[in-house]
C-alpha cells in the first residue's frame, strides 16, 4: 500500500505567491498519485500563521475547489517555527510521511520524488541540503557559513546548509512531538531524534514573489535562538573570560608594584579610563548573555501553548 504524504507549507502573508505555489504542488503531488508513488489520500496542508492579507481566503478557496488542498488556520501569528510544528502535529495523525517546505518556491518542488525514494529506501528523516550558495550575496554567504561553523563549535548538532526542507516519517513525527520546549529551533531539534537519516541536495531558487519574512533583524534573533536553545557554552565562556581578566589584573597589579618600588610611577589616567570602559562593556555583555538564558527559562516555565488552532479544512 502506498504511503500517505502530506506537504506541510507554513504561510504568512503569502497572497502573492500562493496561486503559483498551489499550482506547482498540485502538479507534483497529482503526478505522484497518478504514478502510484503515494496514496490518493495525500494532501497539501497550508498553515496560515495569522496572516493579515487574503492568504486564508485563498487557502479556503483552494480547498473548496480541490480536496487535494487542506488548510490549517492558527488563531494568532506564532512565528514560522511554531506554525511548522502546528502543521506537522496535525499531519502526524493523518499521514505516513510529511515533507515541510516554504511557500515562496525557493525549495525545489521536484526534489520531493527523491525525498520519498530515500524514505522508501529506509530513511526516517531526509534533509534537503542546498547544493551551493552562488545566488546569495557575499555577505549572506559568508555569514551563513560562519554561523554553521559557530554552531558546531558551540556543540550544536546541525546539518550544513539545511533549513526546514525535510521529510519525516510518522515515527519521527511522534518522536518530535515529545519535544515540548517553547523556544523552537527545529534545525537543532530534528537531528537529536536520531533514526536513520539521509540527504538530498537541491538547487535553491530565488523567491517567486513577495518579500522575505526573515529580514536581517529576524535572522539575527533566529541565530541567537539556535545558539542559546542548544548550548550552555556561552555561559562557560563568561567563566573563562572572568578567569582571564582576573589573571590579567593580577599581572597588572604586580607590574604596578614593581614600578612603584623602582620609583617609576606615572599618572595613568588614560589607562585607567580605558580599563574601566573595557570592564564595563564586558560586564554588560555578560549580563546580556545571562539575560538571554533567563528569558528563555521564563518562557519555558510558563508552559504556554505554542499555537492555538482556529480552523482546520481537511476531507
Amino acid at each position: 500500500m502506498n504511503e500517505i504524504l502530506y506537504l506541510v507549507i507554513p504561510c504568512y502573508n503569502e497572497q502573492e505567491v500562493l496561486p503559483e505555489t498551489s499550482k506547482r504542488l498540485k502538479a507534483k503531488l497529482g503526478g505522484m498519485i497518478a504514478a502510484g508513488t503515494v496514496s490518493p489520500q495525500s494532501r497539501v496542508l497550508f498553515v496560515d500563521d495569522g496572516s493579515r492579507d487574503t492568504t486564508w481566503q485563498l487557502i479556503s478557496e483552494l480547498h473548496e475547489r480541490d480536496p487535494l488542498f487542506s488548510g490549517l488556520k492558527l488563531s494568532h501569528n506564532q512565528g514560522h517555527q511554531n506554525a511548522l510544528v502546528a502543521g506537522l502535529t496535525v499531519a502526524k495523525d493523518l499521514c505516513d510521511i510529511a515533507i515541510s517546505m516554504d511557500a515562496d518556491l525557493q525549495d525545489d518542488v521536484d526534489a520531493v520524488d527523491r525525498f520519498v525514494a530515500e524514505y522508501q529506501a529506509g530513511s526516517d528523516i531526509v534533509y534537503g541540503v542546498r547544493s551551493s550558495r552562488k545566488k546569495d550575496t557575499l555577505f549572506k554567504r559568508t555569514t551563513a557559513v560562519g554561523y554553521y561553523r559557530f554552531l558546531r563549535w558551540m556543540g550544536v548538532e546541525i546539518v550544513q546548509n539545511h533549513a526546514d526542507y525535510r521529510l519525516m516519517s510518522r515515527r519521527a513525527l511522534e518522536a518530535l512531538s515529545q519535544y515540548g520546549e517553547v523556544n523552537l529551533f527545529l534545525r537543532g531539534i530534528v537531528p537529536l531524534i536520531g533514526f536513520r537519516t539521509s540527504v538530498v541536495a537541491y538547487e535553491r531558487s530565488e523567491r517567486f514573489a513577495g518579500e522575505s519574512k526573515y529580514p536581517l533583524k529576524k535572522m539575527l534573533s533566529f541565530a541567537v535562538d539556535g545558539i542559546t536553545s542548544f548550548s550552555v557554552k556561552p555561559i562557560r565562556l563568561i567563566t573563562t573570560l572572568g578567569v582571564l581578566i582576573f589573571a590579567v589584573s593580577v599581572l597588572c597589579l604586580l607590574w604596578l608594584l614593581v614600578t612603584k618600588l623602582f620609583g617609576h610611577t606615572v599618572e595613568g589616567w588614560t589607562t585607567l579610563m580605558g580599563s574601566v570602559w573595557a570592564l564595563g562593556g564586558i560586564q554588560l555583555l555578560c549580563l546580556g548573555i545571562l539575560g538571554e538564558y533567563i528569558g528563555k527559562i521564563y518562557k519555558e516555565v510558563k508552559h504556554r501553548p505554542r499555537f492555538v488552532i482556529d480552523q482546520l479544512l481537511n476531507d
Side-chain angles (χ1 to χ4, degrees), residues 110-239:
D110 291 329
V112 169
D113 299 273
R114 289 183 284 152
F115 276 77
V116 175
E118 289 292 334
Y119 164 76
Q120 292 172 342
S123 295
D124 282 287
I125 301 173
V126 183
Y127 298 105
V129 174
R130 298 178 61 168
S131 56
S132 69
R133 287 186 170 271
K134 295 179 181 178
K135 295 181 181 179
D136 289 347
T137 62
L138 178 62
F139 172 77
K140 187 173 182 179
R141 184 164 60 249
T142 303
T143 53
V145 172
Y147 177 61
Y148 281 108
R149 290 178 178 174
F150 185 68
L151 278 177
R152 285 197 296 271
W153 181 70
M154 283 285 178
V156 182
E157 186 177 351
I158 194 167
V159 179
Q160 181 80 17
N161 289 329
H162 166 68
D164 288 303
Y165 191 18
R166 71 177 73 87
L167 175 148
M168 300 184 70
S169 67
R170 175 176 285 184
R171 73 168 184 158
L173 292 172
E174 290 284 356
L176 178 64
S177 67
Q178 297 178 38
Y179 289 80
E181 59 247 53
V182 175
N183 300 289
L184 284 174
F185 185 69
L186 290 176
R187 302 178 197 185
I189 293 176
V190 175
L192 296 178
I193 294 174
F195 300 142
R196 180 176 172 181
T197 64
S198 57
V199 169
V200 168
Y202 72 98
E203 186 70 26
R204 191 168 174 85
S205 305
E206 297 291 337
R207 182 180 176 87
F208 181 79
E211 297 180 354
S212 172
K213 304 306 182 295
Y214 269 96
L216 181 60
K217 183 179 179 180
K218 280 191 175 182
M219 287 297 294
L220 291 174
S221 176
F222 189 59
V224 171
D225 284 342
I227 296 168
T228 54
S229 295
F230 287 88
S231 176
V232 295
K233 202 167 184 177
I235 296 179
R236 291 173 181 169
L237 288 175
I238 291 176
T239 304

